Amino acid sequence: MRGSIPADDIMSSVHETYRDNTDLEYRTLSGGGRSMTVLYLKSLCDSKKITHSLIAPFFERGASGSFAGYLWSLPGVTQPFGSEQAVGQVLKGFTVILLEERIYLYEAAYAATSGISDASVESIVQGPADAFNEDIDVNINMVRRRYESERLKVETGSVGRTSRTKIALIYDTQRVDPKILQELKARLGRIDVDLIQSAAQLQKQLNTQSIQLFPELMVTERPDRVVQNLACGRIGVLVNTTGFALILPSVFDDFFTSMDDVYQFRIVGQFLKIIRYIGLFLTLTLPAFYIAFTSYNPEILKDQLTLLIAGSRASVPYPSFVEVLFMLLMMEFLIEASLRLPKAVGPTATTVGGLILGQAATEAGLVGNIMVIIVSAVAISNFVIPITMMNFSIRVLKYGFIFLASIFGLVGIVLGFIALVMYLSNLESFGQPYLRISVKLPWKDVIPLGRK
């Protein structure tokens, strides 16, 4: 055993730490003139594996020396430096074994995870359909099966003082930028929080700005997206207990790229990306333009369209920005309700509720018919953005344009776009300018995501 602490003291210390837990299994086995003590938490360990690999062979083998040799032949068997390490490893699913005044740690963790299922957040028409699950080892396997290269390196560690969540850094040693890798490890070392339970939480801790509107790291559930980015020299971060991974560095254009763009012909992929940018423009500006044209600059539109908008608002008793806020908030309520309601009734309830709400509001004269069309267009265009984190950011940002249009009209919208471009120009993702079309990495043959 490493160190000078007696094995009995280590076992006593571990037992004293966990003795009040009802899921603690602590037993001493005797037979053939020898004894062995095992300690583990039943909620974290695979009891069948312990019985098959430890308990049954203990009684089947003769001399204890022979069993000690058998222990060392098992994968995942180590000896702790001291009692503190042994106490910590119990929470990771290790079994503490006392045999011949020596302490052994045997990895017998049981991960209660769901099977590999289809991607539900980033669905595509063609290409692989599988998604990450909550087991980090399974996720690493899914990446390695797609990226069969000896250059692929996996480094594991943990984050969170209390949770000690296991993470894995995956990258191609030939194509990764060493400076970005070093910066990532430095930021991970500075994380000082109690709990990390998801990739999104880790993303927030890795961001450099205290007030963040746009994501600097991409969160994805798709193994093929991670592999595609590894081939481009980027780094993947897998987080245990969550079915999502991080990709870095990530620029603004990456969040408007779907894996369908990779599997389609190049011209088709570029067309789909243009559609998404049009959706971005519409969801940001349609409500703001409605306010500007209705209340400040109606002379810009043709007379027929101006009269049409005025006629639809003839019965509306309040200003246009109140009308817009009312309908957009109702839309936000419907979206949130669709996420929280049971799946069996959620889509039906929100669809029927939206139809009834829109028709009743127009018949009562609370909103104009054109406003209902605009809100529907905004809701549809918002969801063409393939990455959820960017989707939520755009949902918030459109209210800033509404505020500017309510005060300054069209001038406010122009000022909003100038401010947005200036803000994005100052953002960086691990040293990469956020508005760059593709990440510039040292590997010269990088193929930007979405191109063939």
Side-chain angles (χ1 to χ4, degrees), residues 357-394:
L357 178 64
Q359 183 178 0
T362 53
E363 291 182 355
L366 298 177
V367 297
N369 294 325
I370 296 179
M371 187 66 247
V372 176
I373 298 174
I374 289 176
V375 169
S376 302
V378 169
I380 295 172
S381 59
N382 199 120
F383 289 104
V384 302
I385 302 173
I387 303 300
T388 306
M389 296 294 290
M390 181 61 73
N391 188 310
F392 286 125
S393 298
I394 299 303

Side-chain angles (χ1 to χ4, degrees), residues 76-374:
V77 172
T78 59
Q79 287 188 284
F81 290 99
S83 58
E84 184 176 348
Q85 183 188 9
V87 169
Q89 293 297 86
V90 170
L91 295 176
K92 297 183 181 297
F94 280 77
T95 300
V96 183
I97 305 167
L98 175 61
L99 178 69
E100 288 187 315
E101 298 184 354
R102 290 178 180 270
I103 289 289
Y104 301 88
L105 295 176
Y106 173 58
E107 185 177 6
Y110 171 74
T113 61
S114 57
I116 298 176
S117 58
D118 293 346
S120 58
V121 179
E122 300 174 60
S123 301
I124 63 173
V125 178
Q126 296 178 341
D130 54 346
F132 288 128
N133 70 0
E134 296 87 357
D135 190 338
I136 192 172
D137 294 322
V138 174
N139 296 339
I140 294 174
N141 174 270
M142 296 172 71
V143 173
R144 281 200 177 274
R145 283 193 294 110
R146 286 177 164 88
Y147 203 96
E148 296 183 4
S149 173
E150 66 280 0
R151 302 189 307 268
L152 184 65
K153 185 174 182 180
V154 178
E155 296 185 31
T156 59
S158 62
V159 291
R161 291 190 302 266
T162 302
S163 63
R164 299 174 187 175
T165 305
K166 183 179 179 181
I167 63 172
L169 309 184
I170 304 182
Y171 56 90
D172 189 313
T173 55
Q174 180 178 326
R175 302 177 179 181
V176 72
D177 188 338
K179 294 181 180 179
I180 296 177
L181 181 60
Q182 183 179 2
E183 174 65 18
L184 172 60
K185 292 180 179 179
R187 293 191 190 183
L188 288 172
R190 291 194 294 266
I191 294 178
D192 186 25
V193 294
D194 287 328
L195 295 175
I196 294 290
Q197 301 186 76
S198 68
Q201 278 184 298
L202 182 60
Q203 178 202 35
K204 290 170 58 179
Q205 296 299 322
L206 290 174
N207 284 337
T208 55
Q209 299 183 1
S210 56
I211 300 178
Q212 191 78 23
L213 181 59
F214 291 94
E216 294 181 6
L217 290 79
M218 185 184 299
V219 179
T220 181
E221 65 172 344
R222 299 191 62 87
D224 55 341
R225 185 185 286 274
V226 172
V227 170
Q228 177 75 16
N229 282 273
L230 292 178
C232 294
R234 305 185 188 186
I235 305 172
V237 183
L238 304 181
V239 183
N240 200 25
T241 70
T242 179
F244 292 86
L246 297 177
I247 299 173
L248 60 98
S250 298
V251 295
F252 186 75
D253 184 71
D254 295 333
F255 296 92
F256 294 86
T257 301
S258 170
M259 288 307 297
D260 266 329
D261 303 347
V262 179
Y263 304 130
Q264 296 283 358
F265 294 113
R266 180 178 177 182
I267 188 171
V268 176
Q270 295 298 326
F271 170 77
L272 293 176
K273 183 176 287 189
I274 292 173
I275 291 296
R276 298 187 195 105
Y277 276 107
I278 294 175
L280 168 66
F281 178 78
L282 292 178
T283 193
L284 281 178
T285 60
L286 267 183
F289 275 131
Y290 179 81
I291 295 173
F293 291 146
T294 301
S295 302
Y296 291 91
N297 309 98
E299 69 280 358
I300 295 180
L301 300 176
K302 289 186 177 181
D303 294 342
Q304 185 177 2
L305 185 56
T306 302
L307 293 174
L308 180 63
I309 295 175
S312 68
R313 296 196 71 255
S315 60
V316 179
Y318 33 71
S320 58
F321 75 91
V322 176
E323 178 187 12
V324 169
L325 286 178
F326 171 75
M327 289 303 297
L328 287 180
L329 288 177
M330 290 299 104
M331 182 190 69
E332 299 290 352
F333 293 155
L334 288 173
I335 293 174
E336 287 298 306
S338 66
L339 296 176
R340 311 291 176 240
L341 287 172
K343 293 183 179 180
V345 299
T348 303
T350 52
T351 301
V352 174
L355 292 174
I356 295 175
L357 178 64
Q359 183 178 0
T362 53
E363 291 182 355
L366 298 177
V367 297
N369 294 325
I370 296 179
M371 187 66 247
V372 176
I373 298 174
I374 289 176

Side-chain angles (χ1 to χ4, degrees), residues 26 70 246 317:
Y26 178 76
Y70 164 77
L246 297 177

